[in-house]
Amino acid sequence: GPITEGYTADHRGHIFKIRLDTGASSSWSLSTLFTLKSDTSRTTNTRPIVIPHTLEVGRFGGNMWIFGGTADVKGPDLQVLSNDAQYIFGFNSNASPDVCLIKEDLYPIGQSNDSEFLGDATSTAQGKTAGWHIRLQSRNQVKKQDAEYASTPPVLYGGSLLVSTFIPAIEDPNDQCQVGGTARLFIMDADTSKGQWQKSTNMRFVEFSGIKISGLTVSRGKVFLGIKELNPGFDPTSVEGVILKNSVKRGGLLVFDL
């Protein structure tokens, strides 16, 4: 059938819904569903966070869910952190049809806390049902790690959400041509954020040291990753904590079974 609605984001952290079923294009309508800003506890003034990647959408329980990831790390001069904390998020677009949702309406998930997910006892007690968000790792000078950010758009496959992030290594704070870093690949239950890497532990992500993931797609039960090797000798069979089933690496492409 005809397309009746669309979704898009802007550089001010807004996600919009476009109604296309109202006749001529001159009568199409635009409404704001969600606004993403930095934490007030971490900055003097909250600032919008750019949502640069394509959004992913999917229906769960009859409702349209929106998923995104941010990469608003560097400021215009490439020397100053624009927003130190970046996010992966998912929300029910029908949860608040008359009022724009904000990040604080979503359940904050601890990135590595595999026991937290939308629908757990804490989220239920807090009345958080609209969606979830995960704040990615901030800049850590001691560990020589820059701020983590989403390096690919999120991808839905069945009920799973996949998205990759990147943590650049800090070789020299004044050298923006730094090499090295760590990629993370998140695989989660889309509408709850429950990890799906290891069913027994609900692990959300695994780390790939020495690569950056720049492309991600899933087809016929296989994950295809476009990768850039930052350090020589990357071995897909030595990923910490998991075994990549039937993994094959050819040049800048890594393929394995989901």
Side-chain angles (χ1 to χ4, degrees):
I3 297 174
T4 59
E5 60 190 38
Y7 302 87
T8 188
D10 71 1
H11 70 293
R12 304 293 295 173
H14 300 118
I15 293 180
F16 302 100
K17 178 179 180 179
I18 309 169
R19 290 289 302 273
L20 307 173
D21 59 352
T22 53
S25 59
S26 59
S27 64
W28 291 350
S29 63
L30 187 71
S31 59
T32 306
L33 295 177
F34 179 65
T35 300
L36 181 62
K37 291 187 177 182
S38 57
D39 292 347
T40 54
S41 61
R42 297 180 63 83
T43 58
T44 303
N45 298 299
T46 58
R47 293 171 292 183
I49 301 178
V50 177
I51 305 172
H53 295 301
T54 304
L55 300 171
E56 181 68 290
V57 298
R59 288 196 177 276
F60 296 90
N63 296 308
M64 184 65 76
W65 279 66
I66 315 295
F67 303 93
T70 70
D72 186 25
V73 180
K74 297 296 181 184
D77 60 1
L78 298 180
Q79 296 285 335
V80 180
L81 287 172
S82 178
N83 277 300
D84 187 36
Q86 302 302 306
Y87 296 88
I88 300 170
F89 59 86
F91 66 91
N92 177 0
S93 67
N94 298 323
S96 181
D98 300 320
V99 179
C100 174
L101 292 170
I102 59 175
K103 172 167 58 66
E104 287 70 23
D105 292 322
L106 310 184
Y107 185 42
I109 304 295
Q111 185 184 45
S112 59
N113 190 336
D114 302 324
S115 65
E116 289 182 346
F117 56 91
L118 192 68
D120 67 14
T122 303
S123 69
T124 301
Q126 294 178 357
K128 302 281 188 179
T129 60
W132 53 266
H133 71 78
I134 296 174
R135 190 175 75 190
L136 301 179
Q137 179 177 300
S138 298
R139 180 182 175 91
N140 189 320
Q141 187 68 44
V142 175
K143 293 183 177 181
K144 296 184 178 181
Q145 293 179 329
D146 214 333
E148 180 183 10
Y149 61 89
S151 60
T152 68
V155 173
L156 277 175
Y157 185 79
S160 299
L161 182 75
L162 295 84
V163 61
S164 63
T165 65
F166 183 62
I167 307 172
I170 302 176
E171 303 293 343
D172 182 339
N174 298 314
D175 180 9
Q176 297 305 311
C177 296
Q178 59 193 3
V179 295
T182 300
R184 286 176 172 173
L185 179 60
F186 288 76
I187 302 182
M188 304 174 286
D189 182 59
D191 57 344
T192 68
S193 84
K194 185 181 291 186
Q196 293 189 331
W197 267 106
Q198 296 286 0
K199 299 297 184 182
S200 59
T201 61
N202 296 326
M203 229 165 68
R204 283 195 177 87
F205 66 83
V206 295
E207 294 189 344
F208 300 78
S209 180
I211 70 168
K212 180 178 181 179
I213 300 171
S214 56
L216 166 62
T217 190
V218 187
S219 177
R220 297 183 178 181
K222 289 187 176 294
V223 178
F224 296 80
L225 301 179
I227 64 172
K228 178 180 180 181
E229 292 189 59
L230 305 174
N231 297 318
F234 168 68
D235 182 1
T237 64
S238 63
V239 177
E240 183 179 359
V242 299
I243 297 175
L244 301 183
K245 298 179 181 178
N246 299 318
S247 63
V248 177
K249 176 181 170 294
R250 293 180 179 173
L253 181 65
L254 174 61
V255 183
F256 59 90
D257 292 347
L258 182 62

